Amino acid sequence: MKSLYFMSTMLIILCLSVIVGCADNRAEPSKASAEEVGQQIEKAVSLDEMKKRDKSKLQKLYSVESETVEDFILYTASSNVKADELLVLKVKETEQVAGVKEKILKRIEEQTVKFKDYRPDEYFLIENHVLAIKGRFILFAVSKDADFIEQAFNDAL
């Protein structure tokens, strides 16, 4: 009886050790900055036809308060007849992700209305956007290369 109890206990300890050893212990996908993630994306796709934007443009397009943002990169099309956008944003607190996501969804709605009847090819890009969240990072991409951008985002984190 004692050996059965001992063997059972050892088996449980072994199983727990394997589970803990193989678990992904990262609470945060990465300690990377949004700029570093952006550099990884730039290696995967060309952003030459887009324009890098600042905090005031982030506020104007997404209504995201600066106290929410730890770091970000924002690229938009150089012309207002194109829908291309790339936003990689790292919020300060995980609890802020949902609020920022809602603001991005509002931006998607605005762009959908703007391009739906006016530029069907750009509307198609908006409809096939990528919105991904990993920890405190948010990716929003409207591009013909959205799948490659998403892959680079995932690889970076």
Side-chain angles (χ1 to χ4, degrees):
M1 187 70 164
K2 285 184 179 182
S3 69
L4 181 61
Y5 176 73
F6 178 75
M7 292 293 275
S8 298
T9 304
M10 294 307 286
L11 184 60
I12 290 171
I13 291 171
L14 177 65
C15 289
L16 289 174
S17 298
V18 169
I19 290 170
V20 169
C22 294
D24 185 5
N25 293 327
R26 297 176 295 168
E28 180 73 29
S30 174
K31 296 295 180 192
S33 68
E35 189 68 36
E36 292 167 336
V37 174
Q39 290 169 356
Q40 188 77 18
I41 291 170
E42 286 185 62
K43 290 178 186 175
V45 298
S46 173
L47 302 176
D48 293 340
E49 294 184 19
M50 297 174 78
K51 195 171 183 181
K52 192 167 186 174
R53 304 299 183 153
D54 60 10
K55 248 184 191 176
S56 65
K57 193 68 164 182
L58 177 72
Q59 172 66 35
K60 181 179 178 183
L61 296 179
Y62 299 96
S63 302
V64 175
E65 300 81 23
S66 57
E67 54 272 353
T68 311
V69 179
E70 181 173 313
D71 192 20
F72 78 97
I73 61 157
L74 173 62
Y75 287 87
T76 63
S78 358
S79 163
N80 62 359
V81 296
K82 304 279 282 169
D84 296 297
E85 284 186 37
L86 170 63
L87 173 65
V88 176
L89 189 137
K90 185 176 183 182
V91 294
K92 291 182 179 175
E93 302 293 330
T94 307
E95 298 78 29
Q96 297 167 321
V97 169
V100 173
K101 180 182 175 186
E102 287 301 314
K103 292 176 182 191
I104 293 171
L105 291 172
K106 184 177 179 194
R107 170 75 176 159
I108 294 167
E109 287 176 28
E110 291 168 355
Q111 291 293 85
T112 298
V113 169
K114 178 178 173 182
F115 286 102
K116 187 172 185 175
D117 297 322
Y118 175 58
R119 300 281 314 253
D121 51 336
E122 299 300 313
Y123 171 72
F124 176 79
L125 294 177
I126 295 166
E127 287 297 299
N128 293 294
H129 69 272
V130 170
L131 181 57
I133 297 169
K134 272 198 165 189
R136 295 186 298 143
F137 283 90
I138 302 170
L139 167 70
F140 172 56
V142 175
S143 169
K144 64 181 177 9
D145 297 321
D147 292 338
F148 296 115
I149 292 171
E150 182 176 25
Q151 184 61 50
F153 174 78
N154 289 331
D155 291 348
L157 300 175

